[in-house]
């Protein structure tokens, strides 16, 4: 089936379950994880959102990278200029958060799923810089925040607008605990929901939404489809082919 038809299928899937491209749609020609191209390609196939990772640099800049070390450069000990002068696998420069957001604002309609990273002692500053930049760029309605840190979770809930959802990644808090903290819900590895089989139902009963990561196998996609609100995957097209029977 042609790309246009696949885009239509993604845009018109279940009102409940939405597809989020993990680190963008990078498993395709000319793309790379956490690149501007991966963001654009996620939008081009109609994904609901694109997930990406953000770190605070030595000079309080914000850079897009999953790892805390880029080509031997420790992110939190390097300047933004140094890091954005490095190259990704597809030949792009490592993007700053501002560059990625400017592209997202001008060229996409995606939800922007920002995973915040930082050393514990810099988490408050990192959250301040992130929330401030999002506000200045007028992107608050399109943001979703996620984090593995319970401290950063609380800071994001405190500093972000109440309308901006903040999800927790680590998997060590129950639905009730997340509700009490003011989190929008769990964004847990799929294994946690196989372990605690009542958590999805409990979350929905509490008014929370549920995301699962990183769901790449057909059997896991089939299990979670129509049960959860979001599926984060490295295989957004594969998910649609398997679940929606796109040929």
């Amino acid at each position: 089936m042609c790309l246009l038809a696949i885009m239509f299928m993604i845009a018109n899937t279940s009102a409940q379950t939405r597809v989020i491209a993990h680190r963008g749609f990078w498993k395709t020609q000319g793309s790379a994880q956490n690149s501007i191209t991966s963001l654009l390609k996620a939008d081009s196939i109609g994904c609901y959102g694109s997930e990406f990772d953000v770190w605070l640099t030595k000079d309080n800049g914000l850079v897009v990278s999953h790892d805390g070390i880029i080509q031997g450069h420790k992110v939190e000990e390097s300047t933004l200029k140094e890091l954005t002068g490095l190259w990704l696998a597809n030949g792009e420069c490592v993007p700053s958060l501002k560059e990625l957001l400017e592209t997202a604002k001008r060229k996409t309609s995606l939800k922007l799923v920002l995973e915040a990273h930082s050393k514990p002692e810099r988490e408050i500053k990192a959250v301040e810089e992130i929330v401030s930049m999002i506000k200045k760029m007028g992107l608050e309605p399109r943001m979703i925040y996620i984090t593995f840190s319970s401290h950063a979770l609380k800071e994001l809930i405190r500093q972000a607008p109440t309308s901006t959802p903040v999800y927790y990644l680590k998997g060590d808090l129950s639905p009730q605990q997340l509700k009490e903290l003011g989190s929008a819900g769990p964004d847990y590895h799929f294994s946690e929901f196989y372990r605690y089989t009542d958590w999805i139902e409990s979350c929905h009963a509490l008014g929370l939404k549920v995301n699962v990561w990183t769901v790449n196998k057909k059997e896991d996609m089939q299990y979670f489809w129509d049960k959860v609100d979001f599926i984060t995957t490295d295989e957004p097209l594969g998910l649609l082919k398997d679940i929606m029977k796109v040929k």
Side-chain angles (χ1 to χ4, degrees):
M1 184 172 284
C2 69
L3 178 60
L4 182 62
I6 293 173
M7 289 169 61
F8 178 83
M9 293 294 288
I10 294 178
N12 290 276
T13 54
S14 165
Q16 181 182 15
T17 304
R18 302 294 187 183
V19 179
I20 295 173
H22 183 234
R23 304 177 196 169
F25 181 31
W26 58 274
K27 282 192 171 184
T28 185
Q29 186 175 5
S31 193
Q33 294 185 17
N34 278 307
S35 65
I36 288 175
T37 295
S38 71
L39 176 86
L40 295 173
K41 287 184 177 290
D43 185 68
S44 74
I45 61 169
C47 288
Y48 176 78
S50 185
E51 184 264 355
F52 53 93
D53 303 87
V54 175
W55 286 83
L56 187 69
T57 66
K58 177 182 177 180
D59 55 344
N60 295 327
L62 295 168
V63 68
V64 179
S65 173
H66 176 264
D67 298 325
I69 300 177
I70 306 174
Q71 298 174 27
H73 297 256
K74 293 183 179 179
V75 172
E76 295 185 297
E77 297 177 9
S78 304
T79 66
L80 184 63
K81 184 177 180 180
E82 289 170 338
L83 296 169
T84 54
L86 302 175
W87 302 93
L88 297 174
N90 67 341
E92 288 180 41
C93 289
V94 173
S96 68
L97 177 59
K98 185 177 180 181
E99 289 171 330
L100 185 139
L101 292 177
E102 286 175 341
T103 301
K105 186 173 182 177
R106 289 185 289 108
K107 296 185 177 182
T108 81
S109 58
L110 290 160
K111 287 288 186 178
L112 304 170
V113 185
L114 188 158
E115 181 175 345
H117 298 264
S118 183
K119 291 180 180 178
E121 61 270 22
R122 302 196 75 203
E123 283 182 338
I124 293 176
K125 181 64 175 175
V127 171
E128 286 176 350
E129 294 295 330
I130 289 168
V131 171
S132 175
M133 181 177 289
I134 300 303
K135 182 178 180 179
K136 288 176 182 176
M137 298 188 72
L139 285 168
E140 290 171 327
R142 290 176 58 186
M143 297 307 301
I144 297 172
Y145 294 125
I146 60 177
T147 180
F148 275 98
S149 165
S150 59
H151 180 241
L153 175 75
K154 294 171 186 176
E155 280 299 311
L156 284 163
I157 292 169
R158 184 178 70 85
Q159 295 190 38
T162 55
S163 58
T164 302
V166 183
Y167 292 87
Y168 185 54
L169 292 162
K170 193 172 182 180
D172 60 342
L173 295 179
S174 70
Q176 186 61 46
Q177 288 173 308
L178 292 173
K179 179 71 173 180
E180 290 170 358
L181 287 171
S183 173
D187 184 354
Y188 289 169
H189 188 265
F190 63 85
S191 61
E192 297 295 338
F193 297 108
Y194 285 136
R195 182 182 178 191
Y196 299 104
T197 56
D198 62 329
W199 272 12
I200 294 173
E201 185 176 349
S202 296
C203 284
H204 288 152
L206 290 166
L208 304 177
K209 294 188 181 295
V210 179
N211 191 0
V212 291
W213 59 271
T214 302
V215 182
N216 294 331
K217 293 183 178 179
K218 182 177 179 179
E219 57 267 30
D220 296 319
M221 293 175 178
Q222 289 175 329
Y223 178 81
F224 288 107
W225 193 256
D226 280 337
K227 290 185 176 70
V228 300
D229 302 277
F230 313 104
I231 290 178
T232 296
T233 179
D234 291 316
E235 305 282 356
L237 288 183
L239 190 157
L240 269 296
K241 288 176 182 178
D242 287 338
I243 302 302
M244 302 305 295
K245 309 302 181 185
V246 176
K247 301 296 184 182

